[in-house]
Amino acid sequence: MAFHFPQKVLFKHCDPAGIVFYPRYFEMLNDAVEAFFDEALGLPFETLHDSGGVPTAEITTRFHAPSRHGDHLTIALTVTRVGRSSLGLTFHTDCGGEPRFTAHSTLVLVDENGRPRPWPEAVRQKLLDREEAPAHAP
Amino acid sequence: MAFHFPQKVLFKHCDPAGIVFYPRYFEMLNDAVEAFFDEALGLPFETLHDSGGVPTAEITTRFHAPSRHGDHLTIALTVTRVGRSSLGLTFHTDCGGEPRFTAHSTLVLVDENGRPRPWPEAVRQKLLDREEAPAHAP
Amino acid sequence: MAFHFPQKVLFKHCDPAGIVFYPRYFEMLNDAVEAFFDEALGLPFETLHDSGGVPTAEITTRFHAPSRHGDHLTIALTVTRVGRSSLGLTFHTDCGGEPRFTAHSTLVLVDENGRPRPWPEAVRQKLLDREEAPAHAP
Amino acid sequence: MAFHFPQKVLFKHCDPAGIVFYPRYFEMLNDAVEAFFDEALGLPFETLHDSGGVPTAEITTRFHAPSRHGDHLTIALTVTRVGRSSLGLTFHTDCGGEPRFTAHSTLVLVDENGRPRPWPEAVRQKLLDREEAPAHAP
């Protein structure tokens, strides 16, 4: 069960070649994760960050085709692995069915000192309910 | 022979947790590549982009430890693979010897229509002179 | 008749002090103007930029109170002056009625060579329909 | 006695029209202020922000001509007013003598609760030594 995050490509995202400047994609992914934690897990970042956070430990990204100003993207976020403190996510981003980029990331829940802490049980259960085997990467 | 790019962590890079917001790292990497093309290859982006560009096809990043406001980072860029139109790069970023993040990327030289084009011979030679076998990732 | 643009304060907007990093406010204003041109004027930026653009000639901004992560802001954009090629806008941004910042800007419609060009008549009429005397700045 | 901050226009700063996206100018101004506090006042932001900060209360900016990728800009920062807790700054930015934008801002030194606090005496003296009557804006 993927979480879908819509993102229109705006002027601010685009470079002199008229396509998305790729560091902006990582801002979009961060926004998608923030929306997922808020809407799907009931754990808004603005609350979570009082007592730690969820830094990204690693992220692998493959860009399939450029995105242009005005494109309506959809980021489909899936949970691919739930660890004690970690979380594997996959993001498939397309524009009207045309793949644009795919990313795989690992986040870690940490306390205010940056040390891993276990997912609260209610959150862990919601994550497990969404867990899917990772699809073969395109 | 690595190309070294110094980058102090500035206020603008940091998030509410006081550490670098990771999409900002990709801006730093892009700045490092832009400096490398200008200073090491004699191919400044502002000229290159009149007739195409070097979009990133894929990038894998592993974050070892957070960076804080005021840290003096060094990004060591090495050429790990020179293809006909592509280029493999590795980035080791540290702060006074302490590893912060490692990235591996593939760029592709494209023409104004986004189609791959071969490296100009003089540029290809400079890239080959710098080519190194990829180190074992930390 | 103001055009209202909602903007939640996200993680990416905030600095180590936990408040919005002010250059991010200008991205928000740009997004608000982009939405206004698209939704209220029928002149989406992605089309407009094929034949020029609307660069900002000047902008004055006063910050009344800081905004924090999670705040639900509303940017109220009003048209305060319609020139031959220029446009005066005022932005009142609040969070649940509490003022956060006020900005006054002047945009200019330019052609692909950066030279001012007159508003198309249909657009000019829509702008005039929305024109309001500027309120006394708070 | 102006403080000069060099800034090459990089790929990341530019929009689809090939010119600097204006919110990026405010990042440049923030970087210039951060360098001024560090190098001229001996008050690096990374230290200052442990006990407060210097939020911008207002800023007025006039854009004279667009800047393009590869331009070598110089931001000349002058101190125009030293208050008890506030500071008036003017920024003249040019490219090889050609004016690009001018900004006037007011900053306020605040404590960790966001309340104005007086400049430390040594800092205040350095600011007064640099104070100049504001030039007539171009």
Side-chain angles (χ1 to χ4, degrees), chain B residues 87-109:
Chain B
L87 177 62
L89 298 174
T90 289
F91 307 86
H92 289 281
T93 302
D94 72 270
C95 176
E98 187 189 306
R100 293 300 168 78
F101 67 97
T102 306
H104 306 278
S105 74
T106 302
L107 312 181
V108 181
L109 184 68

Side-chain angles (χ1 to χ4, degrees), chain A residues 67-123:
Chain A
S67 299
R68 295 182 187 284
H69 190 186
D71 282 355
H72 289 271
L73 305 180
T74 301
I75 300 176
L77 177 164
T78 47
V79 172
T80 50
R81 198 174 45 76
V82 182
R84 190 180 157 276
S85 306
S86 67
L87 177 62
L89 297 174
T90 290
F91 308 86
H92 288 282
T93 302
D94 72 271
C95 176
E98 187 189 306
R100 292 300 168 78
F101 68 98
T102 306
H104 305 277
S105 74
T106 302
L107 312 181
V108 181
L109 183 70
V110 300
D111 63 22
E112 59 269 40
N113 299 312
R115 269 187 289 258
R117 63 184 179 100
W119 294 106
E121 193 47 40
V123 171

Side-chain angles (χ1 to χ4, degrees), chain B residues 10-25:
Chain B
L10 300 173
F11 189 69
K12 68 177 174 189
H13 297 129
C14 296
D15 69 17
I19 62 176
V20 174
F21 179 54
Y22 85 87
R24 289 289 198 175
Y25 277 141

